[in-house]
Amino acid sequence: MIIIDTALRAREESGEPIRVGIVGAGFMAQGLANQIVNSTPGMRLCAISNRRIERAFDVLRYAGHDDVVQTASQTQLDSALANGKVVATEDGMLLARSDLIDVIVDTTGSVEFGAHLALEAFRHGTHVVLMNAELDATIGPILHAEADKHGVILTACDGDEPGAQLNLYRWVKGLGLTPRLVGNVKGLQDPYRNPTTQKGFAERWGQNPAMVTSFADGSKISFEQAIVANATGFKVLSRGMSRGRVYDGDVMKIGDIYDIDQLRSLGGAIDYVVATPHTKIYCLAEHPDPKQQHYLSLYKMGDGPLYPFFMPYHLVHFEVPGAIARAVIFKDNLAKPLGGPVVEVCAVAKRDLKAGETLDDYGMYMTYGEAANAEEMSSSRYLPEGLVAGCRLKRDIPRDQVLTYDDVVLPVGRLADQLRAEQYKNFRGETWLLEHLRATSQNTGEMRSRDVSLAST
């Protein structure tokens, strides 16, 4: 949206910059902080929260802020912000509750914490931009509904693959074409990668090995494509999408690998391929008008029926301020679900798992994620990859088998479990997950008092 630069300059000239708080202080937060501070007029980085407070200071110094105030209470944070200070804190909820912050960017990748943070921000009228695809893919639809109730925006971000794909999808649709497939491109696919195999790459770039693993094992792209599916209504052609199909042909002919009749019957699909890095995202669309088909051929878009549109890059933190401005100034939600979940991400055993083991998180050693249509997720009672951490196995699970709710004992009292159960009930009219939580855990009290208990989180 080219109008964003003009709108931000106007905010700068009026002395009313968008006030931003970042939660999390990892690799992406570091780049985003630097981008806001040094390259984005009309926007002010007010605060960063992180569990390890020293890391928040490191990120702020990286961006050029040496005079940073550490706060531990709401009064301290609000007083420092009112006096023009930049703040570091361990408590992200302070940012969510502050009237002096317009928007929070969640960079944590945590589903449970992200759920608490988002609801707390909504109650205090604060917009939320997600660099947390895991949260959005797992319980995004119910969280977006909660944001609507409070009159605030919850949105994915420009620069990340879901945002880049949906920008392309909206642009292609605006040209009068009918998108049939929205795709992503990976350079590597190996579901058995783990933090040990990815340690060297992670150290080279200063990233978290678990996060790097989630890209390599296919979990991250599954989360990302689920967000795109939920915002378009598109489905997967089969569980796991193309599972690492290699495409080394001409990007202008990538439509040849798909059956247009299948895409039409499905209403549209999401997918990914493994390819050399000449293309990052693509959208395949058709046009019903023979006159426009003639022009598309003239403009070297091929002879159809699937016309390829693509981008060769996505610049992540460079572009995130665009999503911040779209949310605050234009109230534009970049990737709002059309309704309930269309595609979700199921957990699959990365190795042979044994009864009694407690699962680690996504991007670790025990599971990887695959995108599956919501109908399959529900009918098979699949366990979502975003909620695997802390689940205790009731039985042995062989490698590459999908885990189900019946295979595990859930951690007690997680908000994200409750929200996902509500998501199924509200959007799909299904109560089996609510009943499962009540029957197999001690969550009943927490479920009934969710809004009350969260206020003191």
Side-chain angles (χ1 to χ4, degrees), residues 233-313:
F234 290 4
K235 296 184 176 184
V236 295
L237 297 169
S238 62
R239 177 169 61 82
M241 297 180 282
S242 65
R243 282 202 178 94
R245 171 195 288 181
V246 175
Y247 181 76
D248 55 9
D250 183 350
V251 67
M252 298 303 294
K253 297 180 180 179
I254 195 170
D256 293 347
I257 68 176
Y258 298 102
D259 181 338
I260 190 168
D261 292 326
Q262 184 183 22
L263 297 179
R264 288 169 177 163
S265 66
L266 202 61
I270 51 137
D271 197 22
Y272 76 96
V273 296
V274 175
T276 53
H278 300 305
T279 299
K280 190 56 194 169
I281 59 170
Y282 57 100
C283 177
L284 305 178
E286 60 178 329
H287 206 302
D289 184 348
K291 299 186 297 296
Q292 298 290 41
Q293 293 170 12
H294 174 76
Y295 280 103
L296 287 168
S297 179
L298 172 66
Y299 298 146
K300 298 180 174 57
M301 294 298 295
D303 297 323
L306 288 171
Y307 298 97
F309 299 85
F310 62 93
M311 289 182 60
Y313 56 81

Side-chain angles (χ1 to χ4, degrees), residues 74-379:
Q74 199 68 55
T75 300
Q76 290 175 343
L77 181 134
D78 288 344
S79 176
L81 294 181
N83 288 307
K85 299 295 185 180
V86 177
V87 171
T89 181
E90 295 177 353
D91 189 352
M93 297 302 168
L94 301 183
L95 277 62
R97 298 173 185 140
S98 179
D99 291 336
L100 300 175
I101 291 178
D102 300 310
V103 59
I104 285 174
V105 183
D106 175 2
T107 71
T108 64
S110 169
V111 176
E112 177 67 8
F113 174 76
H116 283 274
L117 178 71
L119 292 184
E120 193 71 4
F122 299 161
R123 278 198 290 271
H124 290 82
T126 305
H127 304 296
V128 178
V129 173
L130 293 177
M131 296 186 76
N132 185 344
E134 298 76 16
L135 174 68
D136 205 352
T138 305
I139 51 175
I142 194 72
L143 288 178
H144 282 270
E146 291 288 329
D148 288 345
K149 290 179 185 177
H150 290 85
V152 296
I153 299 295
L154 171 68
T155 181
C157 61
D158 288 288
D160 225 346
E161 279 101 329
Q165 289 174 83
L166 286 162
N167 282 338
L168 182 60
Y169 166 87
R170 288 168 63 171
W171 181 74
V172 169
K173 197 172 181 180
L175 296 178
L177 288 94
T178 302
R180 293 299 184 189
L181 185 134
V182 183
N184 204 335
V185 176
K186 284 175 62 67
L188 168 71
Q189 169 70 50
D190 180 354
Y192 311 120
R193 295 296 177 101
N194 60 55
T196 300
T197 65
Q198 304 311 113
K199 182 180 178 182
F201 182 91
E203 289 179 345
R204 175 187 175 191
W205 293 103
Q207 294 182 273
N208 182 326
M211 189 59 68
V212 171
T213 299
S214 74
F215 285 97
D217 71 11
S219 299
K220 178 68 78 170
I221 202 165
S222 298
F223 288 125
E224 291 170 344
Q225 295 308 93
I227 295 169
V228 176
N230 293 340
T232 59
F234 290 4
K235 296 184 176 184
V236 295
L237 297 169
S238 62
R239 177 169 61 82
M241 297 180 282
S242 65
R243 282 202 178 94
R245 171 195 288 181
V246 175
Y247 181 76
D248 55 9
D250 183 350
V251 67
M252 298 303 294
K253 297 180 180 179
I254 195 170
D256 293 347
I257 68 176
Y258 298 102
D259 181 338
I260 190 168
D261 292 326
Q262 184 183 22
L263 297 179
R264 288 169 177 163
S265 66
L266 202 61
I270 51 137
D271 197 22
Y272 76 96
V273 296
V274 175
T276 53
H278 300 305
T279 299
K280 190 56 194 169
I281 59 170
Y282 57 100
C283 177
L284 305 178
E286 60 178 329
H287 206 302
D289 184 348
K291 299 186 297 296
Q292 298 290 41
Q293 293 170 12
H294 174 76
Y295 280 103
L296 287 168
S297 179
L298 172 66
Y299 298 146
K300 298 180 174 57
M301 294 298 295
D303 297 323
L306 288 171
Y307 298 97
F309 299 85
F310 62 93
M311 289 182 60
Y313 56 81
H314 72 112
L315 301 179
V316 197
H317 74 268
F318 285 91
E319 300 182 66
V320 175
I324 296 171
R326 289 167 70 169
V328 175
I329 300 173
F330 299 105
K331 304 299 184 288
D332 180 45
N333 190 330
L334 176 58
K336 186 172 183 176
L338 297 179
V342 178
V343 170
E344 300 184 272
V345 182
C346 62
V348 186
K350 188 176 285 190
R351 61 167 172 80
D352 291 339
L353 303 174
K354 299 299 181 182
E357 288 189 292
T358 297
L359 297 177
D360 52 19
D361 212 344
Y362 70 90
M364 295 296 288
Y365 294 88
M366 300 176 78
T367 63
Y368 61 90
E370 287 193 334
N373 291 324
E375 293 83 3
E376 181 180 353
M377 286 286 296
S378 177
S379 64

